[in-house]
Amino acid sequence: MKVVVSRQADRDLLEIYVYLYGQSPQSADRIAEDIRDCFADLAIFPHRGAPRPNIRPGVRCALVHPYQIFYVIERHHVEVLRVLQDSRDIKREFSS
């Protein structure tokens, strides 16, 4: 199954990388690789993430500590909706 990254998730990933790179380029590269690995896993095992109906029906969440990857399973692909740090107000992020 193909993994499609939404525009908002792409912006989330860029923000995460830029922030982490400013702290430690090695950490930024490690997290980016871990998230890419998670996307590859979702392509093979799309149901691996926990359902998050409190966010929106059909939304699932996979973890790459300290980030949560929110996605939906479509007919022919997985769509990554957001990539957010655990400390964020998740419900507020999805309502804005």
Side-chain angles (χ1 to χ4, degrees):
M1 190 171 274
K2 182 179 177 181
V3 174
V4 175
V5 178
S6 71
R7 282 187 177 165
Q8 184 60 58
D10 199 43
R11 283 190 292 269
D12 294 338
L13 291 166
L14 181 60
E15 284 179 21
I16 290 165
Y17 189 82
V18 167
Y19 173 78
L20 289 175
Y21 193 87
Q23 306 297 312
S24 164
Q26 295 84 6
S27 292
D29 289 342
R30 181 181 47 79
I31 288 291
E33 183 177 339
D34 290 348
I35 290 172
R36 276 193 303 272
D37 289 346
C38 181
F39 288 177
D41 287 348
L42 290 176
I44 300 167
F45 305 108
H47 289 92
R48 78 170 251 192
R52 294 293 300 268
N54 59 320
I55 301 294
R56 188 169 36 182
V59 172
R60 301 180 81 86
C61 179
L63 300 176
V64 174
H65 185 72
Y67 299 98
Q68 298 183 58
I69 299 167
F70 295 93
Y71 67 96
V72 291
I73 303 169
E74 301 292 352
R75 184 177 173 122
H76 298 292
H77 67 277
V78 171
E79 181 178 4
V80 176
L81 304 173
R82 299 294 306 262
V83 180
L84 300 169
Q85 188 170 14
D86 291 343
S87 62
R88 303 275 290 266
D89 182 343
I90 304 301
K91 280 193 164 189
R92 195 176 108 237
E93 291 293 333
F94 269 89
S95 65
S96 58

